[in-house]
Amino acid sequence: MTAVYPGSFDPVTYGHLDIIRRAAKITDRLIVAVASNSAKKPMFSVDERLEMMRAVCAGIPGVEVASFSGLLVEFAKKSGAVAIIRGLRALTDFEYEFQMALANRMLDENIETLFISTNVQYSFISSSLVKEIALLGGDAASMTPKIVFNNILQKISGL
Amino acid sequence: MTAVYPGSFDPVTYGHLDIIRRAAKITDRLIVAVASNSAKKPMFSVDERLEMMRAVCAGIPGVEVASFSGLLVEFAKKSGAVAIIRGLRALTDFEYEFQMALANRMLDENIETLFISTNVQYSFISSSLVKEIALLGGDAASMTPKIVFNNILQKISGL
Amino acid sequence: MTAVYPGSFDPVTYGHLDIIRRAAKITDRLIVAVASNSAKKPMFSVDERLEMMRAVCAGIPGVEVASFSGLLVEFAKKSGAVAIIRGLRALTDFEYEFQMALANRMLDENIETLFISTNVQYSFISSSLVKEIALLGGDAASMTPKIVFNNILQKISGL
Amino acid sequence: MTAVYPGSFDPVTYGHLDIIRRAAKITDRLIVAVASNSAKKPMFSVDERLEMMRAVCAGIPGVEVASFSGLLVEFAKKSGAVAIIRGLRALTDFEYEFQMALANRMLDENIETLFISTNVQYSFISSSLVKEIALLGGDAASMTPKIVFNNILQKISGL
Amino acid sequence: MTAVYPGSFDPVTYGHLDIIRRAAKITDRLIVAVASNSAKKPMFSVDERLEMMRAVCAGIPGVEVASFSGLLVEFAKKSGAVAIIRGLRALTDFEYEFQMALANRMLDENIETLFISTNVQYSFISSSLVKEIALLGGDAASMTPKIVFNNILQKISGL
Amino acid sequence: MTAVYPGSFDPVTYGHLDIIRRAAKITDRLIVAVASNSAKKPMFSVDERLEMMRAVCAGIPGVEVASFSGLLVEFAKKSGAVAIIRGLRALTDFEYEFQMALANRMLDENIETLFISTNVQYSFISSSLVKEIALLGGDAASMTPKIVFNNILQKISGL
């Protein structure tokens, strides 16, 4: 089975990496798909997000990293994927993810959304929390890989 | 019973129309009330939203379309309504709607909020989802009336 | 509009009465329907529950009290009702009520379920809480009418 | 990928069948696992549930039907499965399923739980609802295959 | 501040112990209160539950263990407590706990309920899950202290 | 016990005051901490928010008012606090607050977050609702102290 794991990954956290490692074990080919058409102004450009994702995914078998724009289901179909992987941390995730899964099913019935629960120790981590803690001078090194945390600190010092 | 069904309707979807049809059957007079004082920048002007709403509600007995600004309960009272109709799709709707119902009850005890559950096949549809799919080049024609979808496409091509 | 407000009412609480008063204001005829085919062993018989309900509803205009068995939508149709009224207190209510509303809609498309939010001061009251507090020797007199609370105390002393 | 789809299936509904069909498309081998050690007194014996499940799954490629007792993760491991499939209908499902997924992950880290959202038109269907409607004399034929509904009616008439 | 941490503790888990340790740090005196009037048939008698609780709480400064029957707020008042401590693991906990906190506040305005979130690694553990896993032959030794797990195994072998 | 009750308090409502009064009864020293580094553009400056908070907290024993920037846990530690107090009104509060509590615990294990449920009559009040109602010409005088409501009206008239 080929699957797509989409996200803005601005930046990637240990929570995302946990989902990638789990998904890689149950798929033949996993495409981590970095969204380039996000409404929100990202901290990192698509190229920076791709570079960080490639660095942290190196060595996980069967994982490819790519960017996409437009409809996710179109990207999935073009990539030969039959499933979309999404991580669930908590309730509010669930509501939004559920609605997106139903919308994507309406857009293309042949692509299924599979939800995986995040490891509990990462259940409260999000990209925005990591950035907020870093901005307030806190230590988010246990939430995201070192290379990513250093990049955040560099972005902040350049503000 | 006269009731008000308020919303920003930017634009109206099949989910809204489902609620309007259901509400029309249990009320003597249903006023679909298009909010003009929305904080968020709408895609369509109040006049455009009124025009689309009038077009899709034509032929549903007992339904009137109007715009309002200021407090919803003031508009309801002035209109002779004793109830506010709200559609519920999912959990997050519920929380927000519940708080608004309690706030409106505090502002005017004589106007009751009635919740109707949306048809399951429209449960994942929202105005913002329709616009997002259209912006990404997807086909949202099953989520909103043809006249509305064409107007969205026209707006997008003019961006 | 004729509507049905169903429940086991074992026994009726101030929360139920709040919904009955609100529903009576927006309906022409409100049938409070005491369910006789409950799976759970009730504290009060159907006749006792009917008698208490009639006592506390006396004087609310347009309210009738009846018992029913079998499918709720069949009872509603036979009674000439076009709507079912349900009170919502909290989230877990919502989930269950939502599923029942969808099931009832499948069984009869012409009967709509209308949800009304309970007054916040009654939001934590339920029949089972009233009975539990009374059984533990607590004072539940602010949660249910005096006539009902006395009946509970009598039942408990007879255990 | 080999996966297990466990449940009590007392009896199987169109909601379960929807999940089975979706799961079959993304797995090489799907084992529908009927639980024999349920705490609740079932309407149908394990053998009856197995027979009905085999009847309704006949013709879906890659699907096997089996019963199991003891820990689900032990059964999954013995069956060569790397994933457990669970359907999600609504919020309360989610909470319970999430806790079970975390518990199963603690018991065996190598077996992942994958959640699939049920088709919206089956989102309010459950085995207990089907039985309750049938017991009250209602028509649940749109919620479960004809062979199953007939078996329920036979069970009820024999009560 | 003196506080009460009530529960049926049938039996105590690492999740309970986590709350006890956290609560002990912010209170002068913490009374762990084992409920004797539970509706559900417990696996362990009150005396057995008290004994296990005393064993696992030994050495945590400021913690006392006691049993109680009747209303919790009455026990709290008699014990000189001004607060009730409750652990929150997840959403469904929250709903129930919230309603109980409001009910207890109605019964005695001077006793406040304080909620503490359980450590994420214990968030999916409950007394009933521990017993269920043990009954199915699984290893719940990471969910509850060794002395408790041994007692469960002894109870099961004696069934 | 010394505790911190943080918030943006833009402006303080009767809901906040309810939590402050309850928290003051179970703490030796309560520091109401007005956040100065909010992402959102506030209606009132930090100095204005501090002045209003001091006015409405005058006379509540053991309560101090201060502003803070940077990480909350750092401020708490510097203030000698061992606990953070947060009010819970509803479900969506819970999710967000839970995640923040877990993040703060990760940043400093020695500071516990204690949740208190808001009085039901204030459960639907928020700073943004108060401002929205005032902007629409409604009477929010029952939601916030008179001095605060007058300040809002003055701000609005100066827009």
Side-chain angles (χ1 to χ4, degrees):
Chain A
M1 173 182 57
T2 296
V4 168
Y5 176 48
S8 49
F9 305 115
D10 182 43
V12 57
T13 68
Y14 279 135
H16 300 133
L17 259 178
D18 179 55
I19 296 294
I20 292 169
R21 284 208 186 87
R22 293 175 191 284
K25 285 197 283 186
I26 55 151
T27 53
D28 301 308
R29 183 176 162 235
L30 180 71
I31 305 162
V32 179
V34 179
S36 65
N37 53 353
S38 173
K40 289 172 281 182
K41 178 104 191 62
M43 175 179 266
F44 294 99
S45 71
V46 176
D47 284 343
E48 289 170 322
R49 286 181 273 149
L50 277 170
E51 194 188 318
M52 283 187 280
M53 187 58 91
R54 284 198 181 104
V56 299
C57 286
I60 308 177
V63 174
E64 301 169 24
V65 177
S67 69
F68 79 103
S69 58
L71 283 176
L72 173 60
V73 290
E74 295 298 326
F75 174 76
K77 202 188 327 196
K78 266 183 286 182
S79 309
V82 296
I84 294 163
I85 303 280
R86 295 296 290 161
L88 287 181
R89 292 169 307 162
L91 192 80
T92 33
D93 280 4
F94 171 72
E95 278 276 299
Y96 173 76
E97 294 292 341
F98 214 71
Q99 289 202 323
M100 290 313 293
L102 296 176
N104 281 329
R105 184 180 289 169
M106 190 212 66
L107 291 167
D108 190 335
E109 266 228 285
N110 295 314
I111 293 174
E112 201 56 57
T113 302
L114 301 177
F115 298 107
I116 300 181
S117 58
T118 308
N119 195 321
V120 282
Q121 73 192 92
Y122 304 128
S123 65
F124 57 92
I125 298 178
S126 66
S127 295
S128 48
L129 183 70
V130 168
K131 286 181 285 189
E132 194 184 325
I133 288 175
L135 273 164
L136 296 174
D139 184 1
S142 61
M143 294 177 166
T144 190
K146 199 176 170 56
I147 181 177
V148 175
F149 189 53
N150 287 342
N151 282 347
I152 298 173
L153 294 181
Q154 213 171 321
K155 280 276 174 192
I156 291 170
S157 69
L159 287 183
Chain B
M1 172 182 58
T2 296
V4 168
Y5 176 48
S8 49
F9 304 116
D10 181 45
V12 58
T13 68
Y14 279 134
H16 299 132
L17 259 177
D18 179 55
I19 296 294
I20 291 169
R21 285 209 184 87
R22 292 176 191 284
K25 285 199 283 186
I26 55 150
T27 53
D28 302 308
R29 184 177 161 234
L30 180 71
I31 304 163
V32 179
V34 179
S36 64
N37 52 352
S38 173
K40 291 172 281 183
K41 178 102 191 62
M43 176 178 266
F44 294 99
S45 71
V46 176
D47 283 343
E48 289 170 323
R49 286 180 272 149
L50 278 170
E51 195 188 319
M52 283 188 280
M53 186 58 90
R54 283 197 180 105
V56 299
C57 286
I60 308 177
V63 174
E64 301 168 26
V65 177
S67 68
F68 79 102
S69 58
L71 283 175
L72 173 60
V73 290
E74 294 296 326
F75 174 76
K77 204 191 321 198
K78 265 184 286 182
S79 310
V82 295
I84 293 163
I85 303 282
R86 296 295 291 161
L88 287 180
R89 291 170 308 163
L91 192 79
T92 33
D93 281 4
F94 171 72
E95 277 276 300
Y96 173 76
E97 293 294 340
F98 214 71
Q99 289 202 322
M100 290 313 295
L102 296 176
N104 282 329
R105 185 180 288 169
M106 190 212 66
L107 292 168
D108 189 335
E109 265 228 287
N110 296 312
I111 294 174
E112 201 57 57
T113 301
L114 301 176
F115 298 107
I116 300 181
S117 58
T118 308
N119 195 321
V120 282
Q121 72 191 94
Y122 305 128
S123 64
F124 57 91
I125 299 177
S126 66
S127 296
S128 49
L129 183 69
V130 168
K131 287 180 283 189
E132 194 184 327
I133 288 175
L135 273 164
L136 297 174
D139 184 1
S142 62
M143 294 177 165
T144 189
K146 199 174 170 56
I147 182 178
V148 174
F149 189 53
N150 287 341
N151 281 347
I152 298 173
L153 295 180
Q154 215 171 322
K155 282 274 174 193
I156 291 171
S157 70
L159 286 182
Chain C
M1 174 182 56
T2 296
V4 168
Y5 176 48
S8 49
F9 305 116
D10 181 44
V12 57
T13 68
Y14 280 135
H16 301 133
L17 260 178
D18 179 55
I19 296 294
I20 291 170
R21 284 208 185 88
R22 292 176 191 284
K25 285 198 283 186
I26 55 150
T27 52
D28 301 309
R29 185 177 161 232
L30 180 71
I31 305 163
V32 179
V34 179
S36 64
N37 54 350
S38 173
K40 290 171 280 181
K41 177 101 191 67
M43 175 177 267
F44 294 99
S45 71
V46 176
D47 284 342
E48 288 170 324
R49 286 182 271 150
L50 278 169
E51 195 188 318
M52 283 188 281
M53 188 57 92
R54 284 199 180 104
V56 300
C57 286
I60 309 177
V63 174
E64 299 168 27
V65 177
S67 69
F68 80 102
S69 58
L71 283 175
L72 174 59
V73 289
E74 294 298 326
F75 174 77
K77 204 192 321 197
K78 267 184 285 182
S79 309
V82 295
I84 293 164
I85 303 281
R86 295 296 291 161
L88 288 180
R89 291 170 307 164
L91 191 80
T92 33
D93 280 4
F94 170 71
E95 278 275 301
Y96 174 76
E97 294 293 339
F98 213 71
Q99 289 203 322
M100 290 313 294
L102 296 175
N104 282 328
R105 185 180 286 168
M106 190 213 66
L107 291 167
D108 190 334
E109 266 228 285
N110 296 313
I111 294 174
E112 202 55 59
T113 302
L114 302 177
F115 298 108
I116 301 181
S117 58
T118 308
N119 195 320
V120 282
Q121 72 192 93
Y122 304 127
S123 65
F124 57 91
I125 298 177
S126 66
S127 295
S128 49
L129 183 70
V130 167
K131 286 181 284 189
E132 193 184 327
I133 288 176
L135 273 164
L136 297 175
D139 184 2
S142 61
M143 293 177 165
T144 190
K146 197 174 173 56
I147 182 177
V148 174
F149 189 52
N150 287 341
N151 282 347
I152 298 173
L153 294 181
Q154 214 171 320
K155 281 274 174 193
I156 290 171
S157 69
L159 287 181
Chain D
M1 172 182 56
T2 297
V4 169
Y5 175 47
S8 49
F9 305 116
D10 181 44
V12 58
T13 67
Y14 279 136
H16 300 134
L17 261 177
D18 179 54
I19 297 294
I20 291 169
R21 285 209 185 87
R22 294 176 190 283
K25 285 198 283 186
I26 55 152
T27 53
D28 302 308
R29 184 178 162 233
L30 180 71
I31 304 163
V32 179
V34 179
S36 65
N37 53 352
S38 172
K40 289 172 281 182
K41 177 100 192 64
M43 175 178 268
F44 295 99
S45 71
V46 175
D47 283 343
E48 289 170 322
R49 286 181 271 149
L50 278 169
E51 195 188 318
M52 283 187 280
M53 188 58 92
R54 282 196 181 107
V56 300
C57 286
I60 309 177
V63 174
E64 301 167 26
V65 177
S67 69
F68 79 103
S69 59
L71 282 177
L72 173 60
V73 289
E74 295 297 326
F75 174 77
K77 205 191 320 197
K78 266 183 286 183
S79 309
V82 295
I84 294 163
I85 303 281
R86 296 294 290 161
L88 287 181
R89 292 170 307 162
L91 192 79
T92 33
D93 281 3
F94 170 71
E95 279 275 300
Y96 173 77
E97 294 293 341
F98 213 71
Q99 289 201 322
M100 290 313 294
L102 296 176
N104 282 329
R105 184 180 288 168
M106 189 212 66
L107 292 168
D108 190 335
E109 265 228 287
N110 295 314
I111 294 175
E112 201 56 58
T113 302
L114 300 177
F115 298 108
I116 301 182
S117 58
T118 308
N119 194 319
V120 283
Q121 73 191 92
Y122 304 128
S123 64
F124 56 94
I125 298 177
S126 66
S127 295
S128 49
L129 183 70
V130 168
K131 287 181 283 189
E132 193 184 328
I133 288 174
L135 272 164
L136 296 175
D139 184 2
S142 61
M143 294 176 164
T144 190
K146 198 175 172 54
I147 182 178
V148 174
F149 189 52
N150 287 341
N151 282 347
I152 298 174
L153 294 180
Q154 213 170 321
K155 281 273 174 195
I156 291 171
S157 69
L159 288 182
Chain E
M1 173 181 57
T2 297
V4 168
Y5 176 48
S8 49
F9 305 115
D10 181 43
V12 58
T13 68
Y14 280 136
H16 300 134
L17 260 178
D18 179 55
I19 297 294
I20 291 169
R21 284 209 186 86
R22 293 176 190 284
K25 284 198 283 186
I26 55 150
T27 52
D28 302 308
R29 184 176 161 233
L30 180 72
I31 304 163
V32 179
V34 179
S36 65
N37 53 351
S38 173
K40 289 172 279 182
K41 177 103 192 62
M43 176 177 267
F44 295 99
S45 70
V46 176
D47 284 343
E48 289 171 322
R49 286 181 271 148
L50 278 169
E51 195 189 317
M52 283 188 281
M53 187 58 91
R54 283 198 181 104
V56 300
C57 286
I60 309 177
V63 174
E64 301 167 26
V65 178
S67 69
F68 80 101
S69 59
L71 283 176
L72 173 60
V73 289
E74 294 297 326
F75 174 76
K77 204 191 319 196
K78 265 184 286 182
S79 309
V82 295
I84 293 163
I85 303 282
R86 296 296 289 161
L88 288 180
R89 290 170 309 163
L91 192 79
T92 34
D93 281 4
F94 170 71
E95 278 274 301
Y96 174 76
E97 294 293 340
F98 214 71
Q99 289 202 323
M100 290 312 294
L102 296 176
N104 282 328
R105 186 180 287 168
M106 190 213 65
L107 291 168
D108 190 334
E109 266 228 286
N110 295 315
I111 294 175
E112 202 55 59
T113 301
L114 301 177
F115 298 107
I116 301 181
S117 59
T118 307
N119 194 321
V120 282
Q121 74 192 92
Y122 304 128
S123 65
F124 57 92
I125 298 177
S126 67
S127 295
S128 50
L129 183 70
V130 168
K131 287 180 284 188
E132 194 185 327
I133 289 175
L135 272 164
L136 296 174
D139 185 1
S142 61
M143 293 177 166
T144 189
K146 198 175 172 54
I147 181 178
V148 174
F149 188 52
N150 287 342
N151 282 347
I152 297 173
L153 294 181
Q154 213 170 320
K155 282 273 174 194
I156 291 170
S157 69
L159 286 182
Chain F
M1 173 181 60
T2 296
V4 167
Y5 176 48
S8 49
F9 305 115
D10 183 43
V12 58
T13 69
Y14 279 136
H16 300 133
L17 260 177
D18 179 55
I19 296 295
I20 291 169
R21 283 209 186 86
R22 292 176 191 283
K25 285 198 281 186
I26 54 151
T27 52
D28 301 308
R29 184 176 161 234
L30 180 71
I31 304 164
V32 179
V34 179
S36 64
N37 54 350
S38 172
K40 289 172 280 182
K41 178 104 191 61
M43 175 178 266
F44 294 99
S45 71
V46 176
D47 284 343
E48 289 170 323
R49 286 182 273 149
L50 277 170
E51 194 189 319
M52 283 189 279
M53 188 58 91
R54 283 195 182 110
V56 300
C57 286
I60 308 177
V63 174
E64 301 168 25
V65 177
S67 69
F68 79 102
S69 59
L71 283 176
L72 174 59
V73 289
E74 295 296 327
F75 174 76
K77 202 189 326 195
K78 264 183 287 182
S79 309
V82 294
I84 294 164
I85 303 281
R86 295 295 291 161
L88 288 180
R89 291 169 308 163
L91 192 80
T92 34
D93 281 4
F94 170 72
E95 278 274 300
Y96 174 76
E97 294 292 341
F98 213 71
Q99 289 203 322
M100 290 313 295
L102 295 176
N104 282 328
R105 185 180 288 169
M106 190 211 66
L107 291 168
D108 189 335
E109 266 228 284
N110 295 313
I111 293 174
E112 202 55 58
T113 302
L114 301 177
F115 298 108
I116 300 181
S117 59
T118 308
N119 195 320
V120 282
Q121 72 191 92
Y122 304 128
S123 64
F124 57 92
I125 298 178
S126 66
S127 295
S128 49
L129 183 70
V130 168
K131 287 181 282 189
E132 193 184 328
I133 289 176
L135 273 164
L136 296 174
D139 184 2
S142 62
M143 293 178 165
T144 190
K146 200 175 171 55
I147 181 177
V148 174
F149 189 52
N150 287 341
N151 282 347
I152 298 173
L153 295 181
Q154 214 171 321
K155 281 274 173 193
I156 291 170
S157 70
L159 288 182

